[in-house]
């Protein structure tokens, strides 16, 4: 009598992305108790079996929610889209009279600017970000589909989907792989290398927040990489960059024409051209600062982990889930707060299930928190003010080099300055 | 003496109505063009239609939609759905069908149905003027047909496509006609009868149904028979058994001389095609086929990359993305783990299985279904549009 061999998930053919499997078929390296920076590894106490268990539990939760999607969810996104469009049209109509003064103030300007700011925030966060994540693809409505959506932002949808959905969500908080980690210009983690450039980052950070949509566009375009490696690029890579660049410029041109030319021109009839222009400018700034604030709260507050490049080799789905939970942080607040952040206040839940309809994150949040607490993993959350302030403080603190036993930070900076001067002198000779 | 001509419903209203910027000749052309450009600049990154749809989704120039006016029971499990179409409706030729997209549980489903209303827009058989009508029979696994018959109510907005199909009468109409229908296959023929019966001189109609109660439009058919405008033979399965085509010689002795229009279940269509071919007159038979095949999901199977003209075998554990790339097709790809939606391609037919959950998705619509190729393997067979 022969026994049929037992079938495991690991008997699946080689070559499939290990992240599609909860269980690994290769022995996993021991998780070190401490990270390179000397900070403790919050997942060091978990066995591979426990991680696999977490993976199964999350898969089951995902299936439960995804199977229950229905009419109410569809009605939700349609309502948000409808509200946003009416709010935008209404605000722009009000702004046609933004120049009219009543008792020394311009009420239409204030009302219209506030409405337009909210409309732009909704459009970017709860609608654009989430539709482009494929959260509503299941409805099979070609107008509310990840492959068709274009948003009110400097970055074209196609480029954003690549850098955000693909790179950031796959490699969340992996140093050197996830470009979101500091957007290449900020040092937000002690494990990131300190350079003299970091000294000025409090200034960059504020500038970045004000012009956020353009820095996202530059980041999606991989402008920094192009500048740094231009000489080593193949002709093909350069051509691809140029095509992407012209796509971004076209998008920016259309966006700017709308906000800074056509709408102000429409208001010229009531003498409100200049005030409409300032209203559009302010609304874009408000939206930029708001989205930046929400996003920095998602991955940079204290207590959130970063990961080494080597730690994700052959990563299973269970391990991927674990990294998403440890690499993200939430914002607590009211229902209105959640909608205005595009439910990115549930960043942990979003990172576990990026294609789950955003209106369901609040529903699963207590269960995710419970799961993490059962496994003694830190579920990072806090109010917007607390989380944002902690990141701003981090940006200031990490503009200086890490504290090292027996050395003053001031000396490290001085040494770096001296090195830089020597280098410059050598270059001049 | 000429044969009676059939007054075709000419696709008119909507088709010739000038749309925003559609005509750009003459002195007004520039103004219209300019207005369109301005509207586009104001609406970017959306299009002006996205805003106009909020106000009037049925306006001319919009994507064609319709609103259900009434759902009227015909038999215990069949109902006529009366729909007021948007202003872009271009009319139809009797016998043609439309595709309807309806949201069920938040998911849009598309199906094709024959039209039965008067093509000239006048009222008929209780269908109000200006409305279009389809009749559907609720079948056990038919998500859409059950929804239309049992759940859908007045006020529901549905997506529509313009009428299409060549299951129509020629002009001039043939002198002798045979209609052979079964079950809900009566619907395209009812469309012809309601529009053209007075112009047809010699009509024989054989209709099959399981029992007396299941005959859709029973009263209307009986009335035509009694008035002598049409010779109707009912074949009821519970009385006569399933129709054997040999019985045609008894029911309609001159069937070989008639131009025949046939609509019904696949088995009947196949049998009739063989029967007419055996009689040496296959060209006299005009057939309407709706559902070409029903997909039975399995484990692994054939993947067809339609535009690349390539079909290959893949096992139940190989993502469609990998299968395509392995065959040298330039596939869009991204995270390869199902989260970035960068690999989404339209599936035109078949069934797939999600490698993460085991969930099977069957293509059961008339609309291409966008699917994630990186986390889905073929289940039986599938056709991808690349």
């Amino acid at each position: 009598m022969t026994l049929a061999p037992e079938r495991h998930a690991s008997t699946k053919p080689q070559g499939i992305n290990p992240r599609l499997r909860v269980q690994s078929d290769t022995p996993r390296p021991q998780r070190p108790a401490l990270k390179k920076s000397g900070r403790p590894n919050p997942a060091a106490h978990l066995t591979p079996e426990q991680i696999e268990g977490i993976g199964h539990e999350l898969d089951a939760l995902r299936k439960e929610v995804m199977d229950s999607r229905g009419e109410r969810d569809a009605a939700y996104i349609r309502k948000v889209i409808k509200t946003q469009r009416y709010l935008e049209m209404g605000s722009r109509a009000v702004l046609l009279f933004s120049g009219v003064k009543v008792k020394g103030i311009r009420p239409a300007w204030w009302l219209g600017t506030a409405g337009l700011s909210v409309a732009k925030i909704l459009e970017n966060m709860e609608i654009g970000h989430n539709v482009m994540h494929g959260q509503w693809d299941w409805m099979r409505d070609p107008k509310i589909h990840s492959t068709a959506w274009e948003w009110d932002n400097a970055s074209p949808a196609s480029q954003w989907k690549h850098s955000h959905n693909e790179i950031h969500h796959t490699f969340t908080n992996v140093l050197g792989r996830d470009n979101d980690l500091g957007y290449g210009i900020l040092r937000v983690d002690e494990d990131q290398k300190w350079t003299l450039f970091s000294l000025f980052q409090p200034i960059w950070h504020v500038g970045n927040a004000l012009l956020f949509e353009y820095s996202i566009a530059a980041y999606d375009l991989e402008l920094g990489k192009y500048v740094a490696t231009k000489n080593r690029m193949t002709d093909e890579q350069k051509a691809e960059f140029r095509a992407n660049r012209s796509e971004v410029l076209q998008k920016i041109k259309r966006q700017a024409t709308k906000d800074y030319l056509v709408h102000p021109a429409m208001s010229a009839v009531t003498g409100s051209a200049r005030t409409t222009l300032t209203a559009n400018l302010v609304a874009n700034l408000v939206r930029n600062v708001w989205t930046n604030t929400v996003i920095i709260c998602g991955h940079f507050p204290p207590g959130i982990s970063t990961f080494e490049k080597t730690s994700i080799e052959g990563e299973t789905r269970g391990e991927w889930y674990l990294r998403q939970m440890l690499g993200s942080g939430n914002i607590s607040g009211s229902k209105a707060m959640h909608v205005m952040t595009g439910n990115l206040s549930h960043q942990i839940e979003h990172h576990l299930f990026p294609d789950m309809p955003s209106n369901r994150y609040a529903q699963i949040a207590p269960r995710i928190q419970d799961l993490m607490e059962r496994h003694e993993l830190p579920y990072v959350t806090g109010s917007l003010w607390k989380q944002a302030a902690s990141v701003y403080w981090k940006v200031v603190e990490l503009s200086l080099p890490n504290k090292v036993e027996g050395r003053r930070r001031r000396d490290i900076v001085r040494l770096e300055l001296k090195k830089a001067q020597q280098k410059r002198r050598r270059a001049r000779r | 003496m000429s044969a009676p001509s059939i007054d075709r419903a000419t696709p008119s209203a909507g088709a010739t109505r000038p749309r925003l910027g559609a005509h750009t000749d003459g002195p007004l052309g520039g103004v219209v063009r300019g207005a369109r450009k301005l509207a586009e600049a104001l609406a970017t990154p959306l299009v002006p239609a996205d805003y106009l749809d909020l106000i009037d989704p049925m306006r001319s120039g919009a994507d064609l939609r319709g609103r259900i006016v009434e759902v009227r029971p015909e038999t215990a499990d069949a109902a006529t759905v009366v729909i007021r179409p948007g202003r872009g409706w271009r009319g139809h030729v009797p016998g043609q069908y439309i595709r309807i997209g309806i949201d069920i549980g938040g998911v849009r489903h598309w199906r094709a149905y024959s039209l039965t209303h008067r093509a000239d827009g006048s009222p008929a058989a209780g269908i109000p003027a200006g409305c279009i009508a389809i009749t559907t029979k609720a079948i056990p696994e038919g998500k859409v047909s059950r929804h239309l018959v049992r759940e859908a109510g007045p006020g529901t907005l549905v997506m529509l496509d313009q009428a299409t199909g060549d299951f129509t009468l020629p002009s001039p109409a043939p002198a002798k006609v045979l209609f052979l229908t079964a079950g809900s296959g009566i619907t395209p023929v009812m469309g012809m009868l309601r529009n053209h019966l007075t112009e047809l001189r010699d009509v024989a109609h054989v209709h099959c149904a399981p029992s007396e109660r299941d005959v859709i439009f029973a009263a209307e058919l009986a009335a035509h028979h009694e008035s002598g405008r049409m010779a109707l033979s009912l074949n009821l399965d519970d009385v006569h058994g399933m129709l054997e085509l040999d019985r045609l010689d008894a029911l309609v002795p001159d069937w070989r001389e008639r131009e025949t229009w046939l609509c019904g279940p696949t088995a009947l269509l196949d049998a009739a095609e063989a029967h007419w071919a055996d009689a040496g007159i296959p060209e006299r038979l005009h057939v309407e086929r709706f559902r070409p095949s029903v997909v039975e999901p399995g484990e692994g199977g054939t993947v067809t990359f339609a535009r690349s003209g390539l079909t290959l075998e893949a096992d139940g554990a190989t993502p469609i993305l990998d299968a395509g790339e392995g065959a040298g097709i330039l596939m869009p790809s991204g995270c390869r783990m199902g989260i970035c939606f960068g690999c989404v391609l339209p599936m035109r037919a078949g069934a797939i299985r999600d490698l993460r959950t085991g969930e099977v998705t069957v293509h059961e619509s008339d609309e291409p279904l966008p699917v994630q190729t990186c986390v889905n393997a073929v289940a039986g067979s599938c056709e991808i549009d690349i």
Side-chain angles (χ1 to χ4, degrees):
Chain A
M1 193 178 88
T2 52
L3 287 170
E6 264 187 77
R7 273 177 68 102
H8 287 298
S10 59
T11 58
K12 277 188 179 170
Q14 293 290 319
I16 294 189
N17 185 342
R19 292 197 186 98
L20 288 180
R21 281 179 256 149
V22 174
Q23 197 179 348
S24 169
D25 46 8
T26 49
R28 306 300 299 148
Q30 191 64 41
R31 252 153 254 285
L34 292 180
K35 295 190 165 191
K36 213 166 67 177
S37 60
R39 283 182 302 174
N41 178 354
H45 62 285
L46 294 179
T47 64
E49 289 72 33
Q50 281 173 313
I51 295 173
E52 191 190 322
I54 290 174
H56 284 303
E57 199 173 330
L58 289 171
D59 275 347
L61 178 60
R62 175 191 151 87
K63 186 167 168 25
E64 182 191 322
V65 176
M66 296 304 233
D67 286 351
S68 71
R69 291 175 302 195
E71 216 155 319
R72 277 175 56 191
D73 303 280
Y76 170 78
I77 191 64
R78 292 222 164 88
K79 189 177 144 198
V80 176
I81 290 173
K82 204 171 163 180
T83 307
Q84 189 276 334
R85 285 182 187 167
Y86 273 121
L87 185 60
E88 177 167 349
M89 279 197 294
S91 305
R92 292 201 186 273
V94 169
L95 286 173
L96 291 174
F97 307 95
S98 52
V100 179
K101 264 192 182 174
V102 182
K103 291 181 185 166
I105 62 155
R106 295 190 163 101
W109 187 92
W110 288 97
L111 185 68
T113 305
L116 190 58
S117 302
V118 172
K120 278 179 177 274
I121 286 169
L122 275 178
E123 198 273 346
N124 265 213
M125 308 290 270
E126 184 66 333
I127 305 171
H129 171 271
N130 293 337
V131 170
M132 287 192 285
H133 257 297
Q135 292 182 5
W136 304 100
D137 282 16
W138 60 275
M139 288 163 54
R140 301 181 191 169
D141 182 340
K143 295 207 165 180
I144 311 177
H145 201 275
S146 63
T147 52
W149 198 266
E150 187 55 83
W151 64 344
D152 181 15
N153 197 292
S155 179
S158 55
Q159 292 180 29
W160 181 83
K161 281 189 284 188
H162 168 71
S163 64
H164 179 86
N165 290 5
E166 186 185 333
I167 307 294
H168 168 59
H169 273 271
T170 313
F171 300 110
T172 310
N173 279 27
V174 176
L175 295 166
R177 295 300 292 273
D178 179 5
N179 294 332
D180 259 28
L181 199 74
Y183 309 104
I185 59 163
L186 288 183
R187 183 168 179 261
V188 285
D189 190 272
E190 286 166 29
D191 286 349
Q192 277 174 293
K193 200 175 163 234
W194 179 88
T195 63
L196 279 176
F197 188 72
S198 312
L199 281 175
F200 306 98
Q201 72 173 15
I203 303 165
W204 302 141
H205 182 42
V206 174
N208 183 40
L210 288 170
L211 299 174
F212 197 47
E213 63 172 313
Y214 300 103
S215 44
I216 297 242
Y219 149 67
D220 293 346
L221 184 60
E222 297 183 325
L223 184 64
K225 187 175 144 199
Y226 175 76
V227 171
T229 63
K230 194 164 65 177
N231 298 330
R232 278 173 281 146
M233 276 185 168
T234 63
D235 286 347
E236 218 169 50
Q237 285 169 316
K238 281 184 194 164
E240 193 191 338
F241 174 82
R242 278 196 298 270
N244 287 342
R245 183 180 57 193
S246 76
E247 194 189 11
V248 177
L249 292 176
Q250 273 300 319
K251 182 83 196 287
I252 291 177
K253 191 174 131 195
R254 277 198 303 274
Q255 296 292 112
T257 305
K258 172 181 70 162
D259 280 344
Y260 304 131
L261 204 68
V262 185
H263 280 288
M266 300 279 284
S267 296
V269 186
T270 55
S272 303
R274 200 178 54 84
T275 47
T276 299
L277 182 101
T278 57
N280 283 281
L281 187 67
V282 171
N284 280 331
L285 286 175
V286 169
R287 186 263 316 267
N288 284 349
V289 171
W290 175 258
T291 51
N292 177 270
T293 306
V294 170
I295 284 156
I296 59 171
C297 292
H299 301 289
F300 307 152
I304 293 173
S305 301
T306 54
F307 305 86
E308 300 288 325
K309 260 190 213 174
T310 50
S311 74
I312 60 160
E313 282 162 15
E315 192 179 51
T316 63
R317 189 151 86 252
E319 290 166 321
W320 182 84
Y321 275 141
L322 181 67
R323 177 158 58 81
Q324 301 303 324
M325 292 193 286
L326 295 173
S328 312
N330 284 2
I331 304 167
S332 57
S334 66
K335 211 168 186 175
M337 235 311 271
H338 295 316
V339 173
M340 289 306 282
T341 62
N343 275 294
L344 294 181
S345 47
H346 294 112
Q347 189 77 243
I348 299 173
E349 289 75 20
H350 171 59
H351 262 267
L352 288 171
F353 312 116
D355 57 349
M356 181 180 285
S358 58
N359 60 324
R360 297 299 196 96
Y361 290 145
Q363 173 196 342
I364 63 164
R367 291 167 69 179
I368 301 296
Q369 185 167 5
D370 171 65
L371 170 101
M372 289 182 71
E373 282 167 2
R374 267 189 282 126
H375 291 89
E376 292 167 45
L377 299 168
Y379 185 83
V380 177
T381 185
S383 72
L384 182 74
W385 292 116
K386 187 191 137 206
Q387 300 298 76
S390 73
V391 176
Y392 270 82
W393 172 241
K394 211 179 198 184
V395 167
V396 173
E397 198 186 20
L398 295 184
S399 66
L400 298 172
N402 292 350
K403 268 187 188 159
V404 184
E405 198 86 27
R407 276 180 87 186
R408 284 188 305 183
R409 288 204 267 197
R410 151 166 23 137
D411 295 336
I412 301 174
V413 176
R414 264 199 211 122
L415 190 70
E416 279 298 315
L417 266 173
K418 207 187 251 171
K419 268 195 221 160
Q421 275 170 349
Q422 280 171 355
K423 204 173 160 193
R424 210 179 312 146
R425 242 177 266 143
R426 242 178 282 137
R428 220 177 285 156
R429 263 187 236 137
Chain B
M1 200 176 79
S2 66
S5 75
I6 287 174
D7 180 23
R8 290 251 177 266
T10 42
S12 59
T16 52
R17 193 177 296 160
R19 288 193 301 166
L20 188 63
H23 297 278
T24 46
D25 297 335
L28 272 176
V31 177
V32 173
R33 249 198 324 267
R36 189 180 60 179
K37 278 209 146 163
L38 179 68
E40 280 168 2
L42 286 168
T44 193
L46 302 177
V47 291
D50 291 324
Y51 289 101
L52 297 174
D53 282 352
L54 290 176
I55 299 150
D56 184 5
M58 312 254 283
R59 71 189 194 283
S60 72
D63 288 349
L64 190 61
R65 299 177 179 92
R67 212 176 273 288
I68 295 179
V69 175
E70 188 194 347
V71 180
R72 187 184 315 151
E74 295 285 352
T75 66
D77 53 8
T80 292
V81 184
V82 182
I83 299 166
R84 185 167 295 282
R87 284 187 281 282
W89 173 247
R90 291 204 289 261
H92 82 297
V93 181
Q96 285 191 318
Y97 62 89
I98 47 164
R99 296 190 325 127
I100 293 189
I102 186 161
D103 292 347
I104 305 171
V107 182
R108 185 158 301 165
H109 295 267
W110 283 90
R111 290 289 187 280
Y113 292 103
S114 297
L115 293 161
T116 55
H117 64 281
R118 289 277 303 182
D120 61 7
S122 65
I127 300 159
C131 285
I132 64 174
I134 57 164
T135 298
T136 178
K137 188 176 163 204
I139 50 172
E141 298 88 41
K143 195 173 222 156
V144 176
S145 64
R146 271 187 302 146
H147 181 83
L148 283 172
V149 173
R150 314 240 186 265
E151 322 273 342
T156 307
L157 198 66
V158 294
M159 305 300 298
L160 298 176
D161 262 0
Q162 297 292 348
T164 183
D166 48 15
F167 190 72
T168 55
L169 293 172
S171 180
K176 295 172 95 176
V177 170
L178 166 63
F179 293 129
L180 178 53
T181 57
S184 58
I186 180 71
T187 54
V189 168
M190 184 49 83
M192 296 179 189
L193 293 177
R194 282 180 182 163
N195 283 278
H196 298 316
L197 188 55
T198 52
E199 302 143 31
L200 294 169
R201 289 178 187 168
D202 183 350
V203 181
H205 189 166
V206 178
H207 179 64
C208 311
S211 75
E212 189 95 48
R213 289 173 302 143
D214 297 310
V215 178
I216 305 172
F217 310 125
E220 208 172 333
L221 290 172
H224 291 327
H225 180 72
E226 277 151 29
S227 69
R229 274 177 291 178
M230 176 179 101
L232 175 72
S233 315
L234 275 182
N235 186 86
L236 303 171
D237 299 348
D238 62 357
V239 179
H240 312 98
M242 294 274 273
L243 178 72
E244 295 291 335
L245 288 169
D246 295 339
R247 280 193 65 211
L248 269 183
D249 293 320
L251 294 170
V252 188
D254 60 350
W255 64 271
R256 286 177 187 80
E257 295 161 28
R258 293 172 180 270
E259 287 288 316
T260 301
W261 276 266
L262 162 68
C263 185
T266 310
L268 175 67
L269 304 189
D270 292 344
E273 276 177 342
H275 199 70
W276 259 256
D278 287 348
I281 44 166
E283 74 286 351
R284 293 247 165 112
L285 186 66
H286 310 274
V287 177
E288 179 84 317
R289 273 178 197 274
F290 274 123
R291 302 297 303 280
S293 59
V294 177
V295 181
E296 267 308 318
E299 181 96 26
T302 57
V303 199
T304 303
F305 297 96
R307 265 185 280 161
S308 317
L310 203 69
T311 299
L312 42 101
E313 285 286 327
D315 63 38
T318 304
I320 293 165
L321 171 62
D322 292 352
E325 283 180 340
I329 296 170
L330 200 60
M331 306 275 286
S333 70
C335 66
R336 311 184 85 92
M337 58 181 295
I339 58 165
C340 84
F341 287 70
C343 66
V344 173
L345 286 175
M347 171 163 78
R348 285 219 234 131
I352 53 171
R353 180 175 280 110
D354 192 316
L355 291 166
R356 299 165 299 178
T357 60
E359 188 189 351
V360 172
T361 304
V362 180
H363 182 277
E364 34 111 73
S365 228
D366 297 295
E367 192 84 340
L369 177 63
V371 297
Q372 289 175 284
T373 59
C374 75
V375 288
N376 280 293
V378 60
S381 71
C382 78
E383 188 183 329
I384 301 291
D385 199 8
I386 187 166

